[in-house]
């Protein structure tokens, strides 16, 4: 018994000596300074070897599920090793929550340490990371139960499922046993813990089948709480870098309720201390030089605790208590864009079967290549569970809303599932449905409150809303009300809503008139607008490639149907009866035009849409307009089925509308058909081709068109139709012999290089 006590005393003295040695070594270095702060200098934890050498050490065997669990963790369960710090901080936060709750009914609960915090310190020399909290701590029995067994029901079945799953690496979070993620980066772990109900004990394991527990010979060094020391593996020494630890805390645990401190160092310039002079030594100093003498400075490494999680989880507060400046600062912190200001935001609290809190922002501009990368998963929404970041690799919003940024914090989401399973979980679907509705309400409110900001929003994301109106049957009506277009009423900018258009419709008007083109300037020159604008009708100008597809999927709005003024028969609702006498007057011309242009057109009719142009080429109701033909031809990548469909649609004959009041048409109609000669035919062909250009259609034979125009010009200026241009040019000289030899030399050099590369590749293989 005496020998045992003697060995225990020696061990206690050894640890006291080690503690003094560490403290002294830090202060002994004249180039290193430890600043005074609210926290003490980090105390190194006990190693596994030291614990095993203590008296009264008890060895225990892990529960079978724990051994299987550690094997899974080390080999496959977690997608990235860095989450070990997230798990330990989450556990520390839970411990702090527990002691704070206990203090509500027990005034002495915090007497051992009133400060509630988490601290992290890395020691590159010993290759350890120490995480300390001042939480509730654990008794000896709790260390054994919490770190040696799994009490959670269903764990065995879950482990069996994960072991048999090929997709185990996609688990998104812990499932009640996150502590064991430490073995992703450590081969030895020591846990010292002090509870108000027991002495300070030490737990240690080397990730094998057993662990040891012993009373801490250092006594009560923690006051209260838990200190975990990780002895890192060789391939995990990257985590000894304080900057790496800081990034992980900011990524995963930035919004933990309790302060998280990191032991860091930085260099400072300090005045160099003067050596004390010997009392017997006489030092001569010049009074004149004393004022000019500069004090010597030196650089010192200064150590101190730095608080990492300075951002507050403002989503946990009622929205009425959060100032606009706080929302903006929070957006900048989450998006890492220190100068950006969101256009708008919505603060949501969901209650009922699924409780969650969320803040969703409209960014000031679209991300680069946003529309090109719609097929990829956006990572703009961060998912938290109890203020701990879990993942941003999930789809909360449909593709057309994936530009939104923000956070979602849900307490009830399952974390013991794959990302694919989480994506389909009922709770997440409920959250998604709720937030989509809130996002649309946010857009609507922005349009009402600030037209200028909404214009900026629509300029950046209007195409996304149009894509949503195409994709979503559920939200199409709501999205349609949010769309904006240029129009003949306001051609300068896309600021006309469908509701505003309907409010300005004429009497008996049943359709919403629109015309598509590459630009507003092009559309304004179209012959299709002439009668509409002359009569005071408003026409929407669709200038984006997605617009025509939008109208095809959204044929009407609030009881009004869309009508493309470049297609089919145009009606106004107040048409007068057709003048039969006028029709008979133009029958001959119509028949002759149909015969002459039979390869291009299906029929010739008197126009109800032209006022100043002689002709217009109109597509059938289900045909392609000139603008749509150009869009489909410009898609680039060849596809056999698409090309066949395009060629079929292009081959559909069009309707030629003629303006009976235009001088050219009137003059042609007044002449007998028998008098139409080849010159007349040539002129009509040119007129038809220029009409095709104005109507937006590409010419099938551009060379033939230019030759016809040239013929007309020749006749107009009196030039001969048969005379050809005399070509008198000097032929280029042949290559000289010297130039040929140089070319041959370059060719031989290139062949030699290629042969050397072939030999090298062969050797490598």
């Amino acid at each position: 018994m005496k020998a045992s006590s003697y060995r225990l005393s020696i061990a206690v003295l050894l640890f006291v000596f080690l503690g003094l040695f560490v403290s002294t070594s830090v202060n002994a270095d004249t180039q290193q300074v430890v600043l005074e702060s609210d926290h003490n200098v980090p105390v190194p934890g006990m190693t596994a070897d030291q614990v095993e050498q203590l008296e009264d050490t008890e060895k225990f065997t892990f529960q079978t599920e724990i051994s299987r669990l550690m094997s899974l963790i080390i080999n496959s369960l977690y997608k990235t090793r860095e989450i070990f710090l997230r798990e330990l901080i989450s556990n520390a936060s839970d411990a702090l929550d527990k002691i704070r709750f206990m203090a509500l009914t027990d005034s002495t609960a915090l007497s051992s340490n009133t400060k509630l915090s988490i601290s992290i310190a890395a020691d590159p020399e010993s290759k350890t990371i120490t995480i300390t909290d001042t939480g509730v701590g654990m008794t000896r029995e709790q260390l054994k139960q919490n770190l040696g067994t799994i009490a959670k029901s269903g764990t065995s079945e879950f482990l069996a499922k994960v072991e048999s799953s090929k997709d185990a690496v996609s688990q998104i979070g812990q499932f009640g046993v996150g502590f064991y993620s430490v073995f992703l980066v450590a081969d030895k772990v020591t846990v010292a813990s002090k509870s108000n109900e027991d002495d300070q004990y030490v737990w240690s394991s080397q990730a094998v089948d057993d662990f040891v527990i012993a009373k801490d010979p250092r006594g009560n060094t923690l006051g209260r709480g838990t200190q975990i020391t990780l002895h890192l593996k060789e391939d995990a020494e990257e985590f000894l870098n304080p900057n790496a630890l800081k990034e992980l805390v900011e990524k995963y645990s930035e919004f933990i309720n309790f302060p998280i401190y990191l032991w860091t160092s930085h260099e400072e310039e300090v005045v160099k201390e003067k050596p004390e002079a010997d009392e017997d030594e006489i030092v001569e100093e010049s009074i004149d030089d004393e004022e000019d003498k500069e004090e010597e400075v030196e650089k010192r490494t200064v150590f101190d605790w730095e608080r990492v999680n300075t951002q507050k989880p403002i989503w946990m507060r009622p929205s009425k208590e959060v100032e606009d400046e706080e929302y903006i600062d929070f957006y900048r912190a989450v998006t890492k864009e220190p100068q950006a200001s969101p256009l708008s935001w919505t603060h949501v609290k969901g209650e009922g079967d699924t409780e969650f809190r969320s803040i969703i922002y409209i960014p000031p501009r679209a991300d680069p290549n946003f529309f090109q990368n719609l097929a990829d998963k956006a990572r703009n929404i961060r998912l938290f569970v109890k203020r701990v970041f879990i993942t941003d690799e999930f789809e909360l919003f449909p593709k057309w809303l994936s530009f939104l940024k923000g956070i979602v914090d849900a307490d009830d989401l399952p974390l013991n599932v794959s990302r694919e399973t989480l994506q389909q979980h009922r709770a997440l679907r409920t959250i998604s449905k709720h937030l989509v509705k809130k996002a649309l309400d946010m857009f609507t409110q922005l349009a009402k409150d600030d037209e200028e900001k909404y214009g900026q929003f629509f300029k950046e994301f209007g195409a996304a809303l149009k894509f949503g109106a195409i994709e979503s049957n559920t939200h199409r009506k709501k999205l349609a009300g949010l769309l904006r277009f240029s129009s003949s009423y306001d051609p300068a900018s896309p600021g006309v809503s469908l509701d505003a258009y309907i409010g300005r419709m004429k009497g008996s008007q049943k359709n919403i008139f629109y015309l598509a083109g590459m630009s507003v300037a092009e559309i304004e020159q179209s012959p299709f607008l002439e009668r509409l604008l002359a009569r005071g009708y408003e026409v929407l100008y669709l200038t984006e490639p997605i617009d025509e597809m939008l109208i095809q999927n959204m044929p009407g709005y609030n009881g009004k149907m869309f009508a493309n003024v470049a297609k089919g028969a145009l009606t106004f609702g107040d048409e007068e009866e057709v003048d039969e006498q006028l029709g008979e007057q133009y029958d001959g011309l119509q028949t002759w035009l149909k015969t002459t242009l039979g390869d291009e057109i299906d029929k010739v009719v008197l126009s109800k849409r032209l006022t100043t142009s002689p002709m217009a080429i109109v597509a059938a109701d289900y045909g392609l307009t000139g603008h749509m033909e150009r869009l489909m031809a410009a898609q680039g990548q060849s596809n056999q089925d698409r090309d066949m469909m395009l060629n079929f649609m292009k081959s559909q004959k069009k309707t030629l509308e003629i303006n009976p009041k235009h001088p050219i048409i009137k003059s042609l109609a007044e002449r007998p058909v028998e008098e139409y000669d080849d010159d007349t035919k040539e002129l009509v062909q040119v007129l038809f081709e220029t009409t095709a250009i104005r109507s937006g259609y590409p010419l099938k034979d551009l060379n033939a068109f230019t030759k016809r125009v040239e013929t007309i010009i020749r006749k107009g200026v009196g030039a001969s139709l048969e005379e050809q241009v005399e070509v008198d040019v000097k032929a280029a000289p042949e290559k000289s012999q010297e130039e040929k030899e140089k070319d041959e030399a370059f060719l031989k050099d290139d062949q030699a290089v290629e042969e050397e590369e072939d030999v090298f590749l062969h050797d490598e293989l």
Side-chain angles (χ1 to χ4, degrees):
M1 183 69 182
K2 290 182 179 180
S4 175
S5 300
Y6 176 77
R7 287 195 298 271
L8 179 59
S9 300
I10 292 296
V12 172
L13 289 173
L14 175 63
F15 281 104
V16 171
F17 173 76
L18 288 173
L20 289 173
F21 174 77
V22 171
S23 177
T24 304
S25 65
V26 173
N27 295 310
D29 188 351
T30 58
Q31 301 302 313
Q32 294 184 342
V33 177
V34 177
L35 297 179
E36 293 184 2
S37 66
D38 293 337
H39 297 270
N40 298 322
V41 176
V43 178
M46 299 176 64
T47 67
D49 294 337
Q50 291 169 338
V51 173
E52 290 178 355
Q53 294 172 7
L54 297 178
E55 287 293 317
D56 299 327
T57 297
E58 289 188 74
K59 183 175 289 189
F60 301 91
T61 302
F62 278 119
Q63 188 183 29
T64 304
E65 283 81 0
I66 288 289
S67 297
R68 293 166 59 196
L69 173 63
M70 287 195 293
S71 175
L72 281 172
I73 286 174
I74 294 171
N75 294 311
S76 66
L77 184 58
Y78 286 96
K79 190 175 183 181
T80 56
R81 299 193 302 173
E82 64 187 30
I83 54 84
F84 80 92
L85 192 60
R86 178 190 75 184
E87 300 303 313
L88 295 183
I89 292 175
S90 297
N91 290 345
S93 177
D94 290 342
L96 291 165
D97 273 327
K98 289 178 182 178
I99 194 64
R100 185 169 61 178
F101 179 77
M102 292 170 63
L104 297 176
T105 55
D106 182 2
S107 59
T108 64
L110 296 177
S111 59
S112 54
N113 191 343
T114 58
K115 295 176 181 177
L116 302 179
S117 64
I118 302 167
S119 60
I120 305 168
D123 184 358
E125 293 186 7
S126 62
K127 298 181 180 179
T128 60
I129 298 176
T130 303
I131 298 96
T132 307
D133 69 72
T134 57
V136 68
M138 289 179 281
T139 64
R140 177 186 177 280
E141 187 61 25
Q142 287 170 338
L143 281 171
K144 177 183 175 183
Q145 292 298 322
N146 293 347
L147 305 185
T149 61
I150 299 180
K152 190 174 181 180
S153 61
T155 302
S156 298
E157 291 78 3
F158 173 71
L159 290 174
K161 181 179 179 181
V162 172
E163 286 174 332
S164 62
S165 173
K166 296 180 180 179
D167 192 33
V169 294
S170 65
Q171 299 299 312
I172 65 166
Q174 84 281 11
F175 42 94
V177 285
F179 166 78
Y180 301 101
S181 62
V182 295
F183 293 110
L184 288 167
V185 296
D187 47 22
K188 296 179 183 179
V189 178
T190 303
V191 181
S193 194
K194 172 66 175 71
S195 168
N196 288 336
E197 301 174 359
D198 203 348
D199 295 327
Q200 185 166 312
Y201 280 86
V202 178
W203 177 100
S204 181
S205 176
Q206 299 186 33
V208 287
D209 295 332
D210 53 29
F211 60 93
V212 296
I213 297 179
K215 190 172 183 179
D216 196 330
R218 299 171 298 177
N220 181 10
T221 60
L222 298 176
R224 186 195 65 252
T226 300
Q227 182 183 72
I228 302 174
T229 303
L230 312 182
H231 301 263
L232 298 183
K233 302 175 182 178
E234 290 186 3
D235 63 352
E237 293 179 7
E238 62 190 274
F239 298 110
L240 292 172
N241 185 343
N243 291 330
L245 294 174
K246 183 178 180 180
E247 289 178 2
L248 293 182
V249 174
E250 290 176 343
K251 178 178 180 180
Y252 290 107
S253 308
E254 187 175 12
F255 302 106
I256 291 292
N257 271 346
F258 304 97
I260 302 173
Y261 295 95
L262 180 65
W263 187 246
T264 60
S265 65
H266 62 277
E267 288 189 348
E268 287 186 1
E269 289 187 352
V270 297
V271 177
K272 190 174 183 180
E273 296 180 1
K274 297 179 180 180
E276 295 182 3
D278 193 340
E279 294 180 359
D280 299 331
E281 185 179 354
I282 299 176
V283 180
E284 295 184 5
E285 293 184 355
S286 172
I287 297 176
D288 296 333
D289 296 339
E290 186 173 351
E291 296 179 358
D292 300 332
K293 188 176 181 180
E294 295 183 359
E295 295 180 326
E296 293 186 23
V297 296
E298 63 180 351
K299 288 187 177 180
R300 289 189 178 182
T301 302
V302 179
F303 290 84
D304 194 11
W305 290 105
E306 176 188 352
R307 181 167 179 178
V308 183
N309 61 330
T310 55
Q311 272 294 328
K312 301 295 183 182
I314 63 172
W315 67 81
M316 301 301 295
R317 293 157 51 190
S319 58
K320 294 181 180 179
E321 298 179 6
V322 185
E323 301 292 335
D324 287 354
E325 291 76 12
E326 292 181 273
Y327 281 117
I328 295 172
D329 290 341
F330 182 74
Y331 173 82
R332 292 170 176 173
V334 169
T335 61
K336 310 302 181 187
E337 298 177 19
Q339 304 301 323
S341 296
L343 295 176
S344 186
W345 55 82
T346 181
H347 190 159
V348 182
K349 180 182 179 182
E351 297 178 334
D353 294 339
T354 303
E355 295 188 0
F356 68 95
R357 295 172 184 264
S358 176
I359 301 178
I360 302 299
Y361 291 93
I362 303 175
R365 63 192 60 85
D367 292 335
N369 301 320
F370 165 71
F371 293 102
Q372 288 80 2
N373 298 331
L374 275 178
D376 301 331
K377 284 186 179 180
R379 303 179 69 167
N380 291 333
I381 303 296
R382 304 178 70 195
L383 177 63
F384 289 77
V385 172
K386 298 180 180 178
R387 298 177 301 283
V388 178
F389 174 66
I390 300 301
T391 184
D392 56 7
E393 297 182 24
F394 72 112
E395 294 182 355
L396 184 68
F397 286 110
K399 297 289 186 184
W400 47 275
L401 283 180
S402 59
F403 61 86
L404 295 172
K405 299 184 178 183
I407 65 96
V408 174
D409 192 340
D411 291 347
D412 303 324
L413 286 178
L415 299 180
N416 56 337
V417 295
S418 68
R419 285 179 172 80
E420 291 74 16
T421 304
L422 175 67
Q423 190 69 55
Q424 302 301 323
H425 194 270
R426 183 179 63 85
L428 194 62
R429 292 202 307 270
T430 301
I431 294 173
S432 176
K433 183 178 180 180
H434 191 77
L435 288 182
V436 169
K437 181 179 180 298
K438 287 293 183 180
L440 297 181
D441 291 342
M442 173 173 58
F443 303 156
T444 303
Q445 195 63 41
L446 179 62
K448 291 179 180 178
D449 296 342
D450 194 328
E451 290 185 7
E452 183 179 350
K453 272 192 176 180
Y454 189 80
Q456 183 182 348
F457 159 71
F458 196 81
K459 179 181 178 182
E460 294 289 332
F461 306 107
L465 298 189
K466 292 175 181 179
F467 179 56
I470 294 172
E471 290 282 304
S472 175
N473 294 326
T474 305
H475 303 291
R476 181 171 295 136
K477 181 176 175 57
K478 184 90 171 181
L479 286 167
L482 294 168
L483 301 181
R484 298 291 184 268
F485 305 92
S486 298
S487 80
S488 55
Y489 177 82
D490 180 16
S493 62
V496 176
S497 69
L498 295 178
D499 289 317
Y501 179 97
I502 292 175
R504 293 190 291 268
M505 288 176 66
K506 301 297 182 182
S508 303
Q509 183 181 345
K510 299 179 181 179
N511 297 317
I512 300 173
F513 298 121
Y514 74 92
L515 181 61
M518 294 297 184
S519 66
V520 170
E522 177 189 302
I523 293 174
E524 288 181 324
Q525 301 302 317
S526 173
F528 300 120
L529 298 178
E530 293 174 358
R531 186 172 293 276
L532 286 159
L533 299 187
R535 297 197 61 190
Y537 288 99
E538 183 177 357
V539 181
L540 297 180
Y541 296 163
L542 310 187
T543 58
E544 294 189 355
I546 197 174
D547 286 339
E548 289 216 54
M549 187 179 297
L550 167 69
I551 300 302
Q552 291 174 11
N553 288 271
M554 188 176 69
Y557 178 75
N558 282 357
K560 306 295 182 181
M561 303 302 291
F562 288 98
N564 189 339
V565 299
K567 279 187 175 185
L570 183 64
T571 57
F572 300 100
D574 61 349
E575 284 79 11
E576 299 176 355
E577 293 185 5
V578 178
D579 187 345
E580 295 183 2
Q581 185 177 357
L582 181 66
E584 293 176 358
Q585 181 181 346
Y586 287 89
D587 281 345
L589 176 61
Q590 290 175 254
T591 303
W592 182 82
L593 289 172
K594 172 67 174 68
T595 304
T596 304
L597 305 172
D599 294 338
E600 307 286 346
I601 61 175
D602 177 51
K603 59 183 177 180
V604 180
V605 298
L606 299 182
S607 179
K608 295 180 181 179
R609 70 187 88 208
L610 299 177
T611 57
T612 59
S613 297
M615 291 181 176
I617 299 175
V618 180
D621 287 328
Y622 299 100
L624 293 180
T625 62
H627 176 65
M628 197 64 181
E629 277 193 15
R630 284 180 291 168
L631 287 179
M632 295 184 67
Q635 288 185 3
Q637 293 184 348
S638 179
N639 178 284
Q640 185 175 357
D641 293 336
R642 183 183 64 83
D643 291 345
M644 288 179 60
M645 179 60 68
L646 176 59
N647 291 331
F648 172 75
M649 297 293 287
K650 289 171 66 175
S651 67
Q652 300 298 303
K653 293 183 179 181
K654 315 297 189 293
T655 297
L656 177 64
E657 291 191 359
I658 58 175
N659 182 1
K661 295 185 179 181
H662 194 279
I664 293 177
I665 303 302
K666 289 171 64 176
S667 177
L668 287 171
E670 290 171 358
R671 293 169 56 188
V673 175
E674 294 78 10
E675 294 183 6
Y676 293 165
D677 54 13
D678 291 340
D679 288 344
T680 303
K681 185 176 181 181
E682 193 79 11
L683 290 171
V684 168
Q685 185 69 38
V686 171
L687 178 61
F688 174 80
E689 289 171 333
T690 55
T691 299
I693 294 173
R694 289 196 65 201
S695 300
Y697 291 98
L699 297 181
K700 294 182 178 180
D701 192 343
L702 188 59
N703 288 331
F705 170 69
T706 56
K707 288 180 179 179
R708 276 189 283 271
V709 172
E710 182 183 338
T711 299
I712 294 173
I713 295 173
R714 281 178 181 247
K715 290 179 179 179
V717 300
S720 172
L721 299 179
E722 288 79 19
E723 184 179 356
Q724 300 297 317
V725 179
E726 294 182 3
V727 180
D728 182 16
V729 296
K730 183 180 178 180
E734 295 294 332
K735 189 183 295 184
S736 67
Q737 185 62 32
E738 182 181 355
E739 290 174 324
K740 291 180 180 179
E741 291 175 356
K742 285 184 179 180
D743 291 343
E744 291 176 358
F746 277 120
L747 182 59
K748 290 180 180 179
D749 290 342
D750 290 342
Q751 291 176 344
V753 171
E754 290 179 0
E755 290 175 358
E756 290 178 2
E757 291 178 350
D758 291 342
V759 171
F760 175 77
L761 289 174
H762 177 74
D763 292 342
E764 287 293 309
L765 293 173

